[in-house]
Amino acid sequence: MGHRRQSAAAMAPRRGEPMPKTALRSKGQTIGMWVMTVLLLAGIGMAGVSKFLGAEMWNSRYALEWGLPLWLVPVTGAMEALGAVLLLVRKVAVYGAMLLGVTMLGAIGTLVMAGTAGDAVAPLVLLSMAAAVGWLRRVDAGL
């Protein structure tokens, strides 16, 4: 005897019951979320670690090109590295995405104020990915 499939209506939660988390994201959304997460880790996470460790390139860009204080380099690096690591922890990934988003807003603002708005495209793309990951991971945090 074969196994009978239940209808979608029979599998839906009853009124007042929470929707199962697995039903809130499609397989395509989950794959896209993880691709964007890996890109964020590679793009922002690695840059954050180099800033935190005090790479000379970042010191000169912050001070000479953008007129920012040098203490901001490791602070920004720590925010970026922490945000990237948080993306890997299911319950707090949405907060990591928010932290990265705020950091990218700062990067966009800095580049626009420095007169190099064309350079703000990369942070804008990273901000968009962080927003998408945050939106998709919000259910994992119960939001």
Side-chain angles (χ1 to χ4, degrees):
M1 294 214 126
H3 185 290
R4 289 187 68 183
R5 292 185 126 193
Q6 292 181 329
S7 69
M11 293 188 319
R14 294 189 179 118
R15 183 173 292 215
E17 290 181 4
M19 183 72 105
K21 288 184 182 179
T22 55
L24 298 177
R25 271 195 305 262
S26 71
K27 184 176 181 178
Q29 288 174 326
T30 301
I31 291 170
M33 178 191 71
W34 280 108
V35 167
M36 288 185 288
T37 298
V38 168
L39 292 172
L40 286 167
L41 285 167
I44 300 176
M46 290 172 53
V49 169
S50 73
K51 287 174 191 167
F52 186 73
L53 296 176
E56 188 56 40
M57 176 195 76
W58 290 112
N59 289 337
S60 64
R61 290 194 84 181
Y62 272 61
L64 301 176
E65 290 182 39
W66 303 324
L68 298 171
L70 288 179
W71 62 262
L72 198 55
V73 179
V75 170
T76 305
M79 289 174 61
E80 291 174 351
L82 177 62
V85 169
L86 290 178
L87 289 179
L88 299 174
V89 182
R90 182 179 185 157
K91 294 284 186 187
V92 294
V94 67
Y95 302 110
M98 287 181 199
L99 183 58
L100 293 177
V102 168
T103 307
M104 289 302 100
L105 283 173
I108 292 166
T110 298
L111 293 168
V112 169
M113 296 296 283
T116 56
D119 292 341
V121 173
L124 184 60
V125 169
L126 294 168
L127 169 63
S128 301
M129 286 194 295
V133 169
W135 181 256
L136 291 168
R137 295 301 294 260
R138 74 193 187 286
V139 296
D140 297 332
L143 301 176

